[in-house]
Amino acid sequence: MNYLPYRLAALLLLALACTPATALERVTLQLKHTHQFQFAGYYAALEQGFYREAGLDVRILDASDSSQAERDVVSGKAEYGVGSSSLLLARLSGRPVVVLGVILQHSAFALATPQVPGQPPDLQRLRGQRVMLGTQASGMGNADELLAYLVKQGVPADSYERLEPSYDPRDLIDGRIAAMGVYTTNEPDVFDRAGFAYDLHTPRSVGIDFYGDNLFTSERELAANPARVRAFRAASLRGWQWAMSHHEETVDLILNKYSRRNDREHLLYEARQMVALVQPVLVEIGYMNPERWRHIADVYASLGMLPAGVRFDGFLYDPDNRKTALWLYRVLGAVLVLVVVAGAVHFSLLARERRRSRAAIRQGEQRFRTMFEASPLGMALVDSNTYAYRDVNARYLEILGRPLAELHSQKWLDLAHPDDIAQCKAQMGQLTAGRIGAFKSTIRVFRPDGVLAWIDMSVTAIDTVAEAGGHPHHLCMIEDVTADKQREALIWQQANFDPLTQLPNRRMLLDRLKTDVIRAQRDRTRLAILFIDLDHFKEVNDTLGHQHGDILLVDAARRIGACVRKSDTVARLGGDEFTVVLSELDSTDRVAHIAQQIIDSLRAPFALGQEQAFVSASIGITLYPDDALDIDDLLKHADQAMYAAKNAGRNRYAYFTPALQVAALNRMRLTNDLRGAVKGQQLALYFQPIVHLATGRIHKAEALVRWQHPLRGMVSPCEFIPLAEASGLILEIGQWVFHEAAGWAQRWRAEVDQAFQISINQSPLEFQREGVGYDDWLRHLRTLGLPGQALVVEITEGLLLDANTTVSDKLLQLRDAGIQVALDDFGTGYSSLSYLKKFDIDYLKIDKSFTRNLAPSSSDMALSEAIIVMAHKLGLKVIAEGVETPEQRDLLAHAGCDYGQGYLFAKPMPATDFDALLRAQADQS
């Protein structure tokens, strides 16, 4: 008899069994907050397929407030929810909630207060203050354990003002409140990033130990769907076990599918904090101790919220319910009786059924064969002992790229990658021994052209011993997932490597650095971090263009990599910054040698097509564990050391010292002070006269900003302007300078000289800002009744060398408004004459480095004369900066220079003093 139809029928029935026979049950899980790592286990259970394996289609919803989960589960909008220990209050107030399992063995709630310098933490200072714990009208909410903690610390609830939570840490940072309830997994990271000094007060320190997050349902759901409750609980706890052992993958999952409200570093911080709260190593996830719940009830009783000794029967779920088991045995007994009766009936009809079955098999043979051949999955029947192919469908041949004759001449797994064969054979051993009935695997196979293809393979044991000479068989189903693997590899490459240089990026650097630090701790070795910044790279980019700049960066990456070992890490953080990690150092003697080798390598000329470019490198070095133990601190120290090398003259390396940290803190504090300088009226506008050399008259002035710090006194612009540019405050300062200068220009043009002009310096950051033109300026000038000719905007030539559409449009807007443009510090950068023709420039300002050494036959004099002649030929006026002696003034005047500016005429002075100077000049005329 031909058994092939029966075998095919069995194969296809097993294949069809791989798909659900019934639709998944749709249920809703209501969280108690917005999406974050706090709920990672549920995301993992959904995305890893644990819920689906349990027959559930789970919808996970975030919450608008912390009580939404309780409301929706009780009302039936959601079958399951996540709640705090306050679920006990809900149960004893008549709400039918049932806790299925505890996720956080300890509560994440704590009270945060600002640190008071020089004083120990003291909660008594909260008396009479505003504390963000929720108002009395809103009820306890989730602040009940914090309230109990304060009471136990001698701070009763009526001694301070309770506010509704805003969930905004800035309220505490900015001093609007004296304390706030926080999650130890969340707000402390925000405080640390903001540099805010704080104290955390936890109820556990005084013996108040509440559970944190709890998975719960309703009595209605438990009574109606006990099997579903059991399945949902098991799948959820399985998801939590996966999430707590796969932090990185879970964080990626949250960012990709749930929320980008928090960045990757914050989610990883949250994951690390969760370990201490979940305690997955010490306690089985989901475990709940009735005595702990008794402790929680006693705390509530001490607050007068529950009667003493209250019982909470039915509140805690019992996964091993014996009553259910007894009921199940009774049902099974009844079923057994029915089976016996049905068997009797069956035997009476057996003869007729046999005839009907044979007819059905004959009719279905062709149908099953057609389904086998047309299956979208590759399918093959394989001898489990000899690995010989017994039958294959067309899709199987298509995926492997082999004809049927070739496949029959080979054994199963002959085409697999050698690295994957051992694992498959081990799983096959389990299958043939009967320890498992099926398994899944992802392997690589060779196609005829030698290219590797990725396939998902599902193998199921088939009972064909009777008709196959005693050999077991298995059904192998495959699906081509090469495209998916290629996409995953591309995404991983893009997420971890710099696309230009192919070096590790910041994310990969941090991952490797974490591994290196752990290894250094274990082996008691040291490691060095080198921060490398290319000096003068911006000039190369501005002059030769970004394409040549990219070529230089690739070559620089190659040169740096050639200076270190293969076991070391070279990464590009972005722009012209590179990082080197020298690991497993027994001593640090060679660190300086490697740093100097990198400097020497980068100092050699770079061939960029027909051009050559020269750059140098400034390197900051920090050592582990000498300088810090924390990775963030190490990177910060290396960055500070790099800036120290730059400030010392560039083209050198510098080691981190504690003094650099002090300087960095000073810069941070000065930047913070600068934020209030404009509103605090600490800025003042000084004016330096620009003198017409032919007449000696003052026709113009340059407006210069000065900062009178209330404690430090006068702060040099060289110190605070770079800080303003780095922090973005230069935009606000620039607006203030414009309004002040415009007001003085209006006054002096009306009362002293109707043609008087004021020059305003503009930072490249202001000028290159996209989407913001000079419309506000022009409206203000119209309000004052000032023409555009009253102002001159001073820019540096670097702006014109890399003039994009934004820069060009702003220059055109200035020209159309009548505002003139001066090119400051001309001759000190990569000068190009083409931009003088391309853009409407009105003035060239000769840099003081030329003026300082002027002599009748000097090269500086020759260059100055050439600049003056060139400018006049192009219709530009010339202003010489740094004029300090009569001889310099006379030489410039003789050369035809139009204006002079410098200490010979006057130093920068307050506006009132300059006003007096102008009026004195007007009186003399």
Side-chain angles (χ1 to χ4, degrees), residues 259-275:
S259 173
R260 290 186 173 271
R261 186 173 61 89
N262 294 313
D263 61 25
R264 179 180 179 79
E265 291 305 314
H266 179 83
L267 291 173
L268 287 173
Y269 171 88
E270 194 177 347
R272 292 191 296 270
Q273 300 304 310
M274 288 279 287
V275 172

PDB file of all heavy atoms in Angstrom, residues 259-275:
ATOM      1  N   SER A 259       8.244  54.633  23.399  1.00  0.00           N
ATOM      2  CA  SER A 259       8.367  56.042  23.774  1.00  0.00           C
ATOM      3  C   SER A 259       9.813  56.507  23.626  1.00  0.00           C
ATOM      4  O   SER A 259      10.742  55.766  23.950  1.00  0.00           O
ATOM      5  CB  SER A 259       7.922  56.240  25.231  1.00  0.00           C
ATOM      6  OG  SER A 259       8.176  57.558  25.664  1.00  0.00           O
ATOM      7  N   ARG A 260       9.969  57.716  23.113  1.00  0.00           N
ATOM      8  CA  ARG A 260      11.274  58.380  23.080  1.00  0.00           C
ATOM      9  C   ARG A 260      11.284  59.603  24.001  1.00  0.00           C
ATOM     10  O   ARG A 260      12.088  60.514  23.832  1.00  0.00           O
ATOM     11  CB  ARG A 260      11.629  58.800  21.651  1.00  0.00           C
ATOM     12  CG  ARG A 260      11.944  57.613  20.743  1.00  0.00           C
ATOM     13  CD  ARG A 260      12.430  58.039  19.378  1.00  0.00           C
ATOM     14  NE  ARG A 260      12.883  56.915  18.597  1.00  0.00           N
ATOM     15  CZ  ARG A 260      14.118  56.445  18.604  1.00  0.00           C
ATOM     16  NH1 ARG A 260      15.020  57.023  19.382  1.00  0.00           N
ATOM     17  NH2 ARG A 260      14.461  55.412  17.865  1.00  0.00           N
ATOM     18  N   ARG A 261      10.363  59.584  24.970  1.00  0.00           N
ATOM     19  CA  ARG A 261      10.297  60.705  25.915  1.00  0.00           C
ATOM     20  C   ARG A 261      11.591  60.808  26.721  1.00  0.00           C
ATOM     21  O   ARG A 261      12.047  61.898  27.045  1.00  0.00           O
ATOM     22  CB  ARG A 261       9.098  60.511  26.848  1.00  0.00           C
ATOM     23  CG  ARG A 261       8.815  61.666  27.790  1.00  0.00           C
ATOM     24  CD  ARG A 261       7.508  61.433  28.534  1.00  0.00           C
ATOM     25  NE  ARG A 261       7.567  60.229  29.346  1.00  0.00           N
ATOM     26  CZ  ARG A 261       7.994  60.219  30.614  1.00  0.00           C
ATOM     27  NH1 ARG A 261       8.380  61.341  31.191  1.00  0.00           N
ATOM     28  NH2 ARG A 261       8.027  59.099  31.306  1.00  0.00           N
ATOM     29  N   ASN A 262      12.188  59.668  27.033  1.00  0.00           N
ATOM     30  CA  ASN A 262      13.478  59.636  27.725  1.00  0.00           C
ATOM     31  C   ASN A 262      14.539  59.078  26.783  1.00  0.00           C
ATOM     32  O   ASN A 262      14.245  58.237  25.935  1.00  0.00           O
ATOM     33  CB  ASN A 262      13.390  58.749  28.976  1.00  0.00           C
ATOM     34  CG  ASN A 262      12.451  59.327  30.019  1.00  0.00           C
ATOM     35  OD1 ASN A 262      12.515  60.521  30.334  1.00  0.00           O
ATOM     36  ND2 ASN A 262      11.566  58.499  30.555  1.00  0.00           N
ATOM     37  N   ASP A 263      15.777  59.560  26.938  1.00  0.00           N
ATOM     38  CA  ASP A 263      16.835  59.088  26.058  1.00  0.00           C
ATOM     39  C   ASP A 263      17.383  57.746  26.549  1.00  0.00           C
ATOM     40  O   ASP A 263      16.995  57.221  27.589  1.00  0.00           O
ATOM     41  CB  ASP A 263      17.955  60.132  25.929  1.00  0.00           C
ATOM     42  CG  ASP A 263      18.615  60.455  27.263  1.00  0.00           C
ATOM     43  OD1 ASP A 263      18.590  59.605  28.182  1.00  0.00           O
ATOM     44  OD2 ASP A 263      19.159  61.560  27.397  1.00  0.00           O
ATOM     45  N   ARG A 264      18.276  57.170  25.770  1.00  0.00           N
ATOM     46  CA  ARG A 264      18.802  55.832  26.042  1.00  0.00           C
ATOM     47  C   ARG A 264      19.515  55.780  27.386  1.00  0.00           C
ATOM     48  O   ARG A 264      19.348  54.833  28.166  1.00  0.00           O
ATOM     49  CB  ARG A 264      19.753  55.430  24.908  1.00  0.00           C
ATOM     50  CG  ARG A 264      20.379  54.068  25.100  1.00  0.00           C
ATOM     51  CD  ARG A 264      21.323  53.717  23.944  1.00  0.00           C
ATOM     52  NE  ARG A 264      21.918  52.425  24.161  1.00  0.00           N
ATOM     53  CZ  ARG A 264      21.327  51.266  23.928  1.00  0.00           C
ATOM     54  NH1 ARG A 264      20.109  51.258  23.433  1.00  0.00           N
ATOM     55  NH2 ARG A 264      21.938  50.126  24.157  1.00  0.00           N
ATOM     56  N   GLU A 265      20.332  56.810  27.685  1.00  0.00           N
ATOM     57  CA  GLU A 265      21.094  56.795  28.929  1.00  0.00           C
ATOM     58  C   GLU A 265      20.172  56.808  30.143  1.00  0.00           C
ATOM     59  O   GLU A 265      20.437  56.149  31.148  1.00  0.00           O
ATOM     60  CB  GLU A 265      22.058  57.993  28.964  1.00  0.00           C
ATOM     61  CG  GLU A 265      23.196  57.898  27.966  1.00  0.00           C
ATOM     62  CD  GLU A 265      23.991  56.607  28.102  1.00  0.00           C
ATOM     63  OE1 GLU A 265      24.330  56.235  29.246  1.00  0.00           O
ATOM     64  OE2 GLU A 265      24.247  55.936  27.091  1.00  0.00           O
ATOM     65  N   HIS A 266      19.069  57.562  30.047  1.00  0.00           N
ATOM     66  CA  HIS A 266      18.135  57.607  31.178  1.00  0.00           C
ATOM     67  C   HIS A 266      17.474  56.239  31.366  1.00  0.00           C
ATOM     68  O   HIS A 266      17.314  55.765  32.502  1.00  0.00           O
ATOM     69  CB  HIS A 266      17.069  58.674  30.952  1.00  0.00           C
ATOM     70  CG  HIS A 266      16.060  58.740  32.072  1.00  0.00           C
ATOM     71  ND1 HIS A 266      16.284  59.432  33.231  1.00  0.00           N
ATOM     72  CD2 HIS A 266      14.848  58.151  32.219  1.00  0.00           C
ATOM     73  CE1 HIS A 266      15.246  59.286  34.039  1.00  0.00           C
ATOM     74  NE2 HIS A 266      14.357  58.511  33.443  1.00  0.00           N
ATOM     75  N   LEU A 267      17.075  55.595  30.268  1.00  0.00           N
ATOM     76  CA  LEU A 267      16.427  54.291  30.385  1.00  0.00           C
ATOM     77  C   LEU A 267      17.382  53.253  30.963  1.00  0.00           C
ATOM     78  O   LEU A 267      16.973  52.398  31.754  1.00  0.00           O
ATOM     79  CB  LEU A 267      15.917  53.843  29.017  1.00  0.00           C
ATOM     80  CG  LEU A 267      14.730  54.647  28.461  1.00  0.00           C
ATOM     81  CD1 LEU A 267      14.429  54.235  27.038  1.00  0.00           C
ATOM     82  CD2 LEU A 267      13.488  54.470  29.326  1.00  0.00           C
ATOM     83  N   LEU A 268      18.666  53.324  30.587  1.00  0.00           N
ATOM     84  CA  LEU A 268      19.641  52.395  31.167  1.00  0.00           C
ATOM     85  C   LEU A 268      19.852  52.687  32.650  1.00  0.00           C
ATOM     86  O   LEU A 268      20.028  51.765  33.458  1.00  0.00           O
ATOM     87  CB  LEU A 268      20.968  52.495  30.405  1.00  0.00           C
ATOM     88  CG  LEU A 268      20.963  51.884  29.008  1.00  0.00           C
ATOM     89  CD1 LEU A 268      22.265  52.182  28.282  1.00  0.00           C
ATOM     90  CD2 LEU A 268      20.743  50.375  29.082  1.00  0.00           C
ATOM     91  N   TYR A 269      19.829  53.969  33.015  1.00  0.00           N
ATOM     92  CA  TYR A 269      19.899  54.330  34.438  1.00  0.00           C
ATOM     93  C   TYR A 269      18.705  53.716  35.182  1.00  0.00           C
ATOM     94  O   TYR A 269      18.848  53.118  36.254  1.00  0.00           O
ATOM     95  CB  TYR A 269      19.895  55.850  34.583  1.00  0.00           C
ATOM     96  CG  TYR A 269      19.744  56.327  36.014  1.00  0.00           C
ATOM     97  CD1 TYR A 269      20.856  56.497  36.833  1.00  0.00           C
ATOM     98  CD2 TYR A 269      18.488  56.614  36.544  1.00  0.00           C
ATOM     99  CE1 TYR A 269      20.716  56.925  38.143  1.00  0.00           C
ATOM    100  CE2 TYR A 269      18.336  57.045  37.855  1.00  0.00           C
ATOM    101  CZ  TYR A 269      19.462  57.211  38.652  1.00  0.00           C
ATOM    102  OH  TYR A 269      19.324  57.632  39.945  1.00  0.00           O
ATOM    103  N   GLU A 270      17.518  53.844  34.589  1.00  0.00           N
ATOM    104  CA  GLU A 270      16.310  53.300  35.206  1.00  0.00           C
ATOM    105  C   GLU A 270      16.433  51.785  35.363  1.00  0.00           C
ATOM    106  O   GLU A 270      16.054  51.220  36.395  1.00  0.00           O
ATOM    107  CB  GLU A 270      15.113  53.655  34.322  1.00  0.00           C
ATOM    108  CG  GLU A 270      13.777  53.457  34.985  1.00  0.00           C
ATOM    109  CD  GLU A 270      12.612  53.885  34.111  1.00  0.00           C
ATOM    110  OE1 GLU A 270      12.853  54.567  33.089  1.00  0.00           O
ATOM    111  OE2 GLU A 270      11.485  53.525  34.439  1.00  0.00           O
ATOM    112  N   ALA A 271      17.001  51.124  34.339  1.00  0.00           N
ATOM    113  CA  ALA A 271      17.153  49.672  34.393  1.00  0.00           C
ATOM    114  C   ALA A 271      18.081  49.259  35.530  1.00  0.00           C
ATOM    115  O   ALA A 271      17.799  48.300  36.261  1.00  0.00           O
ATOM    116  CB  ALA A 271      17.698  49.166  33.055  1.00  0.00           C
ATOM    117  N   ARG A 272      19.185  49.995  35.688  1.00  0.00           N
ATOM    118  CA  ARG A 272      20.124  49.661  36.763  1.00  0.00           C
ATOM    119  C   ARG A 272      19.480  49.843  38.130  1.00  0.00           C
ATOM    120  O   ARG A 272      19.699  49.034  39.054  1.00  0.00           O
ATOM    121  CB  ARG A 272      21.380  50.534  36.638  1.00  0.00           C
ATOM    122  CG  ARG A 272      22.231  50.227  35.418  1.00  0.00           C
ATOM    123  CD  ARG A 272      23.580  50.928  35.506  1.00  0.00           C
ATOM    124  NE  ARG A 272      23.461  52.372  35.502  1.00  0.00           N
ATOM    125  CZ  ARG A 272      23.467  53.112  34.399  1.00  0.00           C
ATOM    126  NH1 ARG A 272      23.582  52.531  33.220  1.00  0.00           N
ATOM    127  NH2 ARG A 272      23.362  54.426  34.454  1.00  0.00           N
ATOM    128  N   GLN A 273      18.703  50.891  38.297  1.00  0.00           N
ATOM    129  CA  GLN A 273      18.033  51.119  39.578  1.00  0.00           C
ATOM    130  C   GLN A 273      16.966  50.061  39.854  1.00  0.00           C
ATOM    131  O   GLN A 273      16.708  49.701  41.007  1.00  0.00           O
ATOM    132  CB  GLN A 273      17.398  52.520  39.596  1.00  0.00           C
ATOM    133  CG  GLN A 273      18.382  53.668  39.420  1.00  0.00           C
ATOM    134  CD  GLN A 273      19.480  53.656  40.441  1.00  0.00           C
ATOM    135  OE1 GLN A 273      19.211  53.547  41.640  1.00  0.00           O
ATOM    136  NE2 GLN A 273      20.718  53.748  39.995  1.00  0.00           N
ATOM    137  N   MET A 274      16.355  49.552  38.785  1.00  0.00           N
ATOM    138  CA  MET A 274      15.289  48.553  38.953  1.00  0.00           C
ATOM    139  C   MET A 274      15.821  47.246  39.526  1.00  0.00           C
ATOM    140  O   MET A 274      15.085  46.516  40.199  1.00  0.00           O
ATOM    141  CB  MET A 274      14.637  48.283  37.595  1.00  0.00           C
ATOM    142  CG  MET A 274      13.765  49.415  37.079  1.00  0.00           C
ATOM    143  SD  MET A 274      12.123  49.417  37.797  1.00  0.00           S
ATOM    144  CE  MET A 274      11.399  48.004  36.972  1.00  0.00           C
ATOM    145  N   VAL A 275      17.086  46.926  39.276  1.00  0.00           N
ATOM    146  CA  VAL A 275      17.640  45.660  39.751  1.00  0.00           C
ATOM    147  C   VAL A 275      17.528  45.567  41.266  1.00  0.00           C
ATOM    148  O   VAL A 275      17.126  44.540  41.826  1.00  0.00           O
ATOM    149  CB  VAL A 275      19.107  45.506  39.297  1.00  0.00           C
ATOM    150  CG1 VAL A 275      19.742  44.276  39.948  1.00  0.00           C
ATOM    151  CG2 VAL A 275      19.177  45.399  37.786  1.00  0.00           C
TER     152      VAL A 275
END
